[in-house]
Amino acid sequence: IRGTERKTARNKMRRSRLRTAVRGAREALAQTAPDVARKAVLEAVSHLDKAAGKRVIHRKNAARRKGRLMKQLNKLETKK
């Protein structure tokens, strides 16, 4: 039981960090500053990869979210 609680707490922390990174990337994409948005998106992608690697989220969930973020980033960069 203790091991489960430890792992649950660790996964909750990782998921929280992931959500914060993704939220930051979305906000950066909304501000239409391509250089800032690129940095935030790449950080979020890194968090998504780590979470998928640790099995906090499913790898296809991570791939889908990364694809959506990169699609928005590419759209933003082609505008400018």
Side-chain angles (χ1 to χ4, degrees):
I1 296 173
R2 286 179 309 209
T4 304
E5 290 170 359
R6 242 189 339 263
K7 289 174 186 173
T8 300
R10 197 176 300 138
N11 286 342
K12 192 179 281 191
M13 179 185 68
R14 286 182 179 135
R15 195 174 294 118
S16 175
R17 242 187 246 148
L18 167 68
R19 286 180 180 152
T20 302
V22 171
R23 190 178 312 117
R26 287 193 185 130
E27 289 172 1
L29 285 164
Q31 291 176 357
T32 65
D35 50 338
V36 176
R38 173 167 279 287
K39 186 176 178 186
V41 167
L42 291 178
E43 183 183 343
V45 165
S46 173
H47 281 283
L48 284 162
D49 284 335
K50 285 178 187 173
K54 303 282 184 185
R55 309 261 170 103
V56 175
I57 60 172
H58 195 275
R59 62 187 172 85
K60 292 197 175 186
N61 184 313
R64 182 178 64 244
R65 291 163 78 169
K66 287 190 307 186
R68 288 175 181 170
L69 285 173
M70 293 306 289
K71 186 177 178 181
Q72 287 181 320
L73 179 64
N74 288 335
K75 189 160 70 169
L76 178 68
E77 287 180 339
T78 55
K79 273 187 192 177
K80 299 278 176 174

